[in-house]
Amino acid sequence: MSEATIPLADSKTLLTLFGTRDQHLRKIRDSLGVSVSGRDDRIHIEGPDEAVARATEVFEKLKQVVDRYGLVSPEEVSQILGLVSGQAPGEESSAIELQHAGKAIRPRTAGQSRYVSAIRDHDLVFCVGPAGTGKTYLAVAMAVQALRREQIRKIVLVRPAVEAGESLGFLPGDLQAKINPYLRPLLDALREMMDYEQIKRYTEQDLIEMIPLAYMRGRTLNDAFVILDEAQNTTVPQMKMFLTRMGLGTKMVVSGDTTQVDLPGHTQSGLIDAIHRLSGIQGFYQVTLHNEDIVRHRLVQEIVRAYEEEEPRRRR
């Protein structure tokens, strides 16, 4: 048996670390089997030697989160617990050092942390998951960070122009006007991280490019961060074409939701096909996000779950 004491800056930090109604405290105490108390701006831990060491490490890491962002979420507590307990390798390097308008951008769940770490450690990453799990958002954040650090020369954001129940031919305007709605989600993600004037300037300087997938043919992209969004709506030839654009010093992230394929009937999704084809290639990495990684409105998780439960009944 052993004990440890962790000094804190003030009582507010203590309350933040313990969480609303001590929810963080209970999770740490129950997970590690230690006794934890707090008073006089200190945390006191008692228990088996190894458990006390782990609990001390957990609280020290949580202190760093609170010092940087002013709060800590239940997901972050679970993530750090998993990291310290050896259940979530690689998540220590998952932080995204990016802020916009005073708002810190970082993964919010253990699954998102694995995704960010995978992007950092691999040149070709596929991410599959339902709507709202941050597939595009986090990839764009990593791209902006890499651009600001001058690790790359440009960002290329790509989407297939595949109709989801609508036809391009009936949309008004010229070709650019027709494809703009398909690129809008990528622009929305960028605006969460950069000012409009900065986006405009980077676009004019060709540091940021947003294009439909068809415009990738014949190109070779060097020293770029390339993101293919809605990849479930690529065909097999389109996916092959996209992946072979990869040049020296380039990182590619491919994201999509395999349950939301809008291709014509009997057309195979390039995303699903590529996951099977590339699984044995060194340097390729796949991350799967789940409902618990959804960070949009609380109702989105319930909506996704409701549709997932309905599908098996339709097949009967």
Side-chain angles (χ1 to χ4, degrees):
M1 299 290 288
S2 64
E3 59 183 58
T5 300
I6 303 174
L8 303 173
D10 50 43
S11 57
K12 182 180 179 181
T13 302
L14 178 67
L15 294 173
T16 303
L17 288 172
F18 280 11
T20 306
R21 298 180 181 175
D22 290 342
Q23 60 174 330
H24 302 336
L25 171 62
R26 288 196 302 272
K27 181 178 290 188
I28 295 168
R29 189 173 54 202
D30 295 345
S31 297
L32 299 178
V34 292
S35 173
V36 182
S37 60
R39 65 179 182 180
D40 298 328
D41 299 340
R42 294 175 181 270
I43 295 176
H44 188 70
I45 308 169
E46 294 182 6
D49 295 352
E50 186 176 351
V52 169
R54 287 182 174 178
T56 301
E57 186 177 356
V58 167
F59 278 111
E60 291 291 354
K61 289 183 180 297
L62 289 174
K63 273 179 59 181
Q64 294 175 10
V65 174
V66 173
D67 289 343
R68 179 173 292 184
Y69 304 115
L71 51 83
V72 61
S73 68
E75 293 82 9
E76 287 165 325
V77 174
S78 298
Q79 175 189 333
I80 291 173
L81 271 170
L83 173 65
V84 171
S85 301
Q87 297 172 356
E91 289 182 6
E92 190 168 19
S93 61
S94 66
I96 304 175
E97 297 179 10
L98 190 65
Q99 289 200 9
H100 179 60
K103 174 185 174 184
I105 297 172
R106 63 190 192 277
R108 305 289 297 178
T109 71
Q112 289 187 347
S113 294
R114 286 192 295 272
Y115 179 34
V116 169
S117 296
I119 294 173
R120 183 172 287 116
D121 296 337
H122 299 83
D123 288 336
L124 179 59
V125 176
F126 276 48
C127 183
V128 176
T133 50
K135 302 184 297 296
T136 304
Y137 184 82
L138 291 173
V140 171
M142 292 293 286
V144 172
Q145 177 181 268
L147 184 64
R148 289 179 175 173
R149 291 179 174 179
E150 298 184 352
Q151 296 170 337
I152 56 169
R153 290 192 301 174
K154 72 180 300 180
I155 298 172
V156 182
L157 307 175
V158 186
R159 260 189 160 217
V162 174
E163 299 92 338
E166 298 179 352
S167 174
L168 281 174
F170 288 98
L171 294 175
D174 58 14
L175 177 61
Q176 190 62 43
K178 292 175 187 289
I179 63 178
N180 276 343
Y182 292 98
L183 303 176
R184 185 66 188 220
L186 298 172
L187 180 59
D188 289 344
L190 269 178
R191 285 180 174 172
E192 290 280 326
M193 302 157 204
M194 306 173 73
D195 295 327
Y196 173 78
E197 290 300 324
Q198 189 176 33
I199 295 173
K200 182 179 178 181
R201 185 170 67 254
Y202 279 15
T203 302
E204 291 172 349
Q205 296 171 350
D206 204 32
L207 296 176
I208 295 178
E209 187 177 2
M210 289 177 282
I211 58 173
L213 178 60
Y215 287 29
M216 292 286 286
R217 189 173 300 278
R219 302 180 64 181
T220 299
L221 297 169
N222 296 316
D223 299 316
F225 197 121
V226 189
I227 300 171
L228 174 58
D229 189 37
E230 296 291 325
Q232 76 275 5
N233 287 329
T234 62
T235 63
V236 174
Q238 285 175 334
M239 179 62 77
K240 178 184 176 183
M241 180 272 291
F242 171 79
L243 294 175
T244 53
R245 303 307 95 198
M246 192 175 192
L248 296 175
T250 287
K251 188 182 290 286
M252 281 187 166
V253 178
V254 178
S255 67
D257 181 355
T258 55
T259 68
Q260 298 292 324
V261 178
D262 297 315
L263 294 168
H266 307 297
T267 301
Q268 187 175 11
S269 168
L271 174 62
I272 297 172
D273 175 78
I275 289 172
H276 292 297
R277 287 180 187 268
L278 305 180
S279 58
I281 294 179
Q282 187 175 2
F284 165 79
Y285 195 89
Q286 184 203 336
V287 177
T288 301
L289 299 178
H290 304 282
N291 290 353
E292 56 266 28
D293 296 305
I294 294 175
V295 292
R296 289 181 183 169
H297 192 286
R298 176 191 59 80
L299 282 172
V300 175
Q301 282 194 16
E302 302 300 325
I303 292 168
V304 171
R305 188 174 295 112
Y307 277 90
E308 287 178 344
E309 291 172 353
E310 179 67 19
E311 286 302 317
R313 288 199 293 267
R314 288 184 175 179
R315 296 192 191 104
R316 291 174 189 169

